[in-house]
Amino acid sequence: LPADDGMSALRKKIHEIRDMAASSEEKARRLHFIMTESYIANHPHLARAQSPASIFSGDRPFTPRSPTPFDTPVLPHSPDSMREPIDPANPFNVTEADKQPCFRPPRSRRPSIDYDDYPPNSDGNEVPEPEEPQLGCRHYKRNVKIQCYDCRRWYPCRHCHDEKEMDHSLQRRKTENMLCMLCQTPQSAGEYCKVCEHRSAYYYCDICKLWDDDASKRIYHCADCGICRRGEGIGKDFVHCKKCNICIAIASAASHRCIERAAECDCPICGDYMFTSSSSIVAMPCGHYLHKTCYTQYMETAYKCPICKKSAVNMELQWRKLEHAIDTQPMPEQFRNTRVVVQCNDCSAKSSVKYHWLGNKCGACDSYNTNEVQILGPASENGNAGINALLDRAADA
């Protein structure tokens, strides 16, 4: 082996586990963790726990419209066997520094990215907050700190934890304890403090272990999604589509196109996994999803879905302008009777049409969103049979 093949640290960990005085099952668990740690770190959605209410849901899906990308890296969780031990003398592992309350920065100094674990209200409006000290952090407004299940350290939220702890991420659903910042009392997680009896947050979900004290936000828990999401609730402004496995706004529920588990994939623009992303997503007419910010930027220079290439916006006016341009710019004499076989991205039909360098109109739906399959050359009286035969072969393919 060379002096440094890049695997010395991994071999050292393997040797340490091999020499441990532990059962073979315990050693196997630890080996499995270190061997898959880097893979899970590069595939964050695999580190998310499955929802108990849906075999398709991840840690936190979201509605198909809502702004701002979530770019905090997701780290692998530690197995239960590697959890920090509990000190009987200090079962909550609380220090004097942990008891000090933390406050949200003034709105003018908060980052543009809001790490909410659910989409915003459909209207996007938020009630301005008074510029006075508020308990919480730059990510959330809340009266409590939470304890990480693995390292047993206290942080205002899971994002604050993940920014400091580089070897694992906080498993929010496994959160067992909270620390009331009003009376500095550690206790089991709940909606009210057991000592001072103050409410820990305006909204609390015992399933997701989510606290949010911003009364301007309307949040609900979707049992099918298995996660808290922003909105009035199922049957009020959202319905859950069983096939898409996502909550759809009532206004677009009847007209949206279903694609099974359409949001459980990477955004084709930025590459982030959409189903567990806190960024807003929008549904295109073809049924595919994009992050809202990616969609807005992408549509400034394109009109096709980046996945299926169907038109993502109404192009009728643009097609009329293109047809007028084609009529006013005839092809040179040597190309005037040239025909081309095209395949339409909008209706998937193949047809033989007159060739023009500005665009080729689909013979079935009149769309110019077409791809050239083969240029046939000038048409002739005896050429129709050959063209039809070519189209038949293309259709069979």
Side-chain angles (χ1 to χ4, degrees), residues 66-82:
S66 7
T68 69
F70 172 68
D71 56 4
T72 299
V74 181
L75 301 171
H77 305 317
S78 301
D80 292 348
S81 59
M82 300 181 72

Side-chain angles (χ1 to χ4, degrees), residues 48 69-74 113 115 138-139 159 162-163:
R48 300 294 182 183
F70 172 68
D71 56 4
T72 299
V74 181
I113 296 177
Y115 294 102
R138 67 190 182 95
H139 307 120
H159 302 294
D162 292 351
E163 290 170 1

Side-chain angles (χ1 to χ4, degrees), residues 87-387:
D87 182 5
N90 185 13
F92 289 102
N93 195 35
V94 178
T95 65
E96 290 301 320
D98 293 331
K99 294 181 180 180
Q100 298 300 316
C102 55
F103 298 91
R104 287 167 64 78
R107 177 173 290 274
S108 59
R109 286 170 31 208
R110 291 180 203 163
S112 59
I113 296 177
D114 186 8
Y115 294 102
D116 285 337
D117 287 327
Y118 35 77
N121 293 326
S122 56
D123 55 10
N125 297 325
E126 293 195 10
V127 179
E129 299 179 8
E131 290 294 318
E132 60 183 27
Q134 296 175 324
L135 292 173
C137 62
R138 67 190 182 95
H139 307 120
Y140 293 101
K141 179 182 176 184
R142 54 176 56 165
N143 299 332
V144 297
K145 293 182 180 180
I146 59 176
Q147 185 183 43
C148 175
Y149 177 84
D150 296 319
C151 66
R152 297 185 57 77
R153 297 189 181 96
W154 294 90
Y155 287 92
C157 77
R158 70 185 184 93
H159 302 294
C160 293
H161 169 278
D162 292 351
E163 290 170 1
K164 293 288 184 68
E165 307 293 338
M166 304 304 295
D167 59 342
H168 67 285
S169 63
L170 188 148
Q171 303 181 68
R172 193 183 66 213
R173 289 177 177 272
K174 284 192 173 184
T175 300
E176 297 175 343
N177 302 318
M178 70 178 189
L179 189 150
C180 177
M181 289 192 284
L182 298 173
C183 65
Q184 292 77 50
T185 304
Q187 57 197 281
S188 57
E191 183 177 3
Y192 291 90
C193 175
K194 297 178 181 178
V195 177
C196 67
E197 298 184 352
H198 279 88
R199 199 172 188 176
S200 58
Y202 175 82
Y203 176 84
Y204 168 69
C205 177
D206 188 57
I207 299 175
C208 302
K209 293 300 187 293
L210 178 64
W211 291 263
D212 198 311
D213 204 33
D214 189 346
S216 67
K217 297 175 183 176
R218 296 294 179 264
I219 310 169
Y220 69 96
H221 181 90
C222 175
D224 290 309
C225 289
I227 196 66
C228 293
R229 308 174 61 181
R230 192 183 296 187
E232 295 291 338
I234 297 296
K236 297 179 180 178
D237 54 353
F238 290 103
V239 294
H240 184 87
C241 176
K242 299 288 187 179
K243 184 175 181 179
C244 297
N245 192 37
I246 197 170
C247 285
I248 305 293
I250 290 179
S252 57
S255 60
H256 88 282
R257 182 175 180 180
C258 283
I259 296 180
E260 187 173 358
R261 303 168 65 179
E264 298 183 42
C265 62
D266 295 336
C267 173
I269 304 301
C270 67
D272 287 343
Y273 189 66
M274 291 189 293
F275 192 74
T276 55
S277 172
S278 296
S279 179
S280 314
I281 63 171
V282 293
M284 291 177 287
C286 58
H288 293 116
Y289 290 90
L290 291 177
H291 285 122
K292 185 176 181 180
T293 51
C294 296
Y295 173 83
T296 302
Q297 296 174 4
Y298 178 73
M299 285 301 157
E300 292 178 356
T301 57
Y303 68 91
K304 303 177 185 179
C305 168
I307 299 175
C308 66
K309 305 304 180 184
K310 293 183 182 296
S311 299
V313 293
N314 188 343
M315 297 294 294
E316 184 178 355
L317 178 60
Q318 285 74 15
W319 295 159
R320 287 205 299 266
K321 291 181 179 179
L322 181 56
E323 190 164 9
H324 176 72
I326 291 174
D327 292 339
T328 57
Q329 300 182 50
M331 293 289 286
E333 185 64 31
Q334 62 268 33
F335 298 109
R336 190 159 297 175
N337 294 322
T338 300
R339 299 186 68 82
V340 60
V341 175
V342 297
Q343 180 170 20
C344 181
N345 291 322
D346 290 336
C347 70
S348 300
K350 291 184 180 180
S351 55
S352 169
V353 298
K354 291 185 65 174
Y355 174 74
H356 199 284
W357 65 275
L358 285 179
N360 301 303
K361 181 168 64 173
C362 173
C365 68
D366 294 337
S367 169
Y368 281 90
N369 182 11
T370 58
N371 299 320
E372 295 179 9
V373 176
Q374 183 177 353
I375 296 179
L376 302 176
S380 64
E381 294 182 359
N382 298 324
N384 291 333
I387 292 175

